Amino acid sequence: MTKPIVAIPADIRSFDGATWHAVQHQYLRAALNAAGVMAFIIPAFEAGYDADAILDRVDGLLVSGSASNVHPSLYGAEATERDGPFDPARDATSLPLIRRAIDRAIPLLAICRGIQELNVALGGSLASEIHEEPGIWDHRRPEGVDRDGMYAIRQTVHIKAGSCIADILGPGDIRVNSLHRQAIARTAPRLQVEATAEDGTVEAVSVIDARAFAVGVQWHPEYWAETDAASNRLFAAFGGAVRSYAAGKLLVITAQASA
């Protein structure tokens, strides 16, 4: 059996006056080396895409982090310049893919912006500039450090006993690398909170009625997926779910061919 394939929705980026559809290298590397799967980058367009046509051809969905934010209009809020930057093509591509992947029991791992997209896709809302809220810590990236320092594992999150992530990482406290200025405000009805920061900020969720692996984390397991044990186990669990889905598809195809 060949390696299964996951879809990763792209961001829209501009370089040297040209528009690019891009995904950060760390996500692609983690998919290959920690999850053991191949990745297809899905271009981002605001209209014209058929989510099912994409999902017909892959075995999982990995929704990455990004410097952009989900547009507030998608969760019933007024957008201000401060809430940006925005990427409407990424929103229009990712949210339908998330909904259809869950409906079709296709394994899903959503990271950073991805967990926020997952929450919005299922009817939840987001809070901006959470560091300005009373009692909430500053979860933003530190200043004056290189990328390894920026993504250093330094925050504690508490994983709830009996949760999906507890089955992978164990219950209790673990250390992670969580960098964000937005977070889940109103949790979508179909999501279960799996882990929280020490200030109560939602750091992980799962889809309550999912028929396959469907997990979102606010932190960045992709960055140290090959060297950090917890990050590696999360990607390995996702990879295992993707392989199981691919094997099930192969059995169906084989049965149809022999019928």
Side-chain angles (χ1 to χ4, degrees):
M1 180 180 174
T2 59
K3 281 188 177 181
I5 297 168
V6 300
I8 306 183
D11 301 322
I12 295 295
R13 291 286 183 266
S14 295
F15 302 108
D16 296 327
T19 299
W20 297 71
H21 297 256
V23 172
Q24 287 189 49
H25 173 67
Q26 285 86 356
Y27 295 96
L28 302 170
R29 185 181 63 192
L32 180 65
N33 295 334
V37 300
M38 304 293 289
F40 284 174
I41 298 175
I42 306 302
F45 287 96
E46 291 190 58
Y49 260 9
D50 179 348
D52 283 309
I54 295 168
L55 295 173
D56 284 346
R57 291 159 171 82
V58 300
D59 309 298
L61 178 63
L62 175 59
V63 190
S64 71
S66 174
S68 66
N69 294 322
V70 179
H71 199 279
S73 64
L74 295 170
Y75 49 90
E78 291 289 331
T80 68
E81 189 173 321
R82 194 182 186 203
D83 295 324
F86 302 123
D87 187 344
R90 162 74 185 254
D91 294 338
T93 303
S94 291
L95 269 64
L97 284 170
I98 288 169
R99 296 186 190 105
R100 289 301 295 146
I102 294 168
D103 290 344
R104 294 178 53 166
I106 295 173
L108 163 69
L109 176 60
I111 296 171
C112 192
R113 188 195 210 269
I115 190 180
Q116 297 172 12
E117 289 172 297
L118 172 60
N119 189 54
V120 172
L122 297 183
S125 67
L126 304 177
S128 297
E129 310 303 337
I130 59 170
H131 56 279
E132 296 178 356
E133 297 296 323
I136 301 299
W137 298 355
D138 192 342
H139 293 251
R140 294 174 298 175
R141 64 182 60 182
E143 300 292 336
V145 296
D146 62 12
R147 286 192 71 80
D148 283 358
M150 186 186 306
Y151 286 92
I153 296 172
R154 58 179 170 270
Q155 297 102 327
T156 299
V157 299
H158 181 77
I159 298 174
K160 295 185 177 181
S163 65
C164 296
I165 291 183
D167 290 341
I168 302 167
L169 304 179
D173 293 345
I174 64 166
R175 301 278 282 177
V176 301
N177 51 348
S178 191
L179 307 170
H180 55 107
R181 42 183 269 259
Q182 290 195 320
I184 290 175
R186 182 183 69 255
T187 305
R190 294 176 65 187
L191 292 183
Q192 168 178 281
V193 175
E194 300 252 320
T196 55
E198 292 177 291
D199 61 3
T201 301
V202 175
E203 289 285 341
V205 296
S206 66
V207 180
I208 294 168
D209 54 354
R211 293 174 290 123
F213 186 102
V215 167
V217 296
Q218 186 63 68
W219 67 86
H220 286 274
E222 82 287 346
Y223 200 87
W224 304 107
E226 295 173 64
T227 56
D228 173 63
S231 300
N232 185 270
R233 287 200 298 271
L234 188 57
F235 266 91
F238 174 59
V242 171
R243 281 185 288 278
S244 294
Y245 178 83
K249 281 203 314 185
L250 182 60
L251 287 174
V252 171
I253 293 170
T254 302
Q256 290 174 341
S258 61

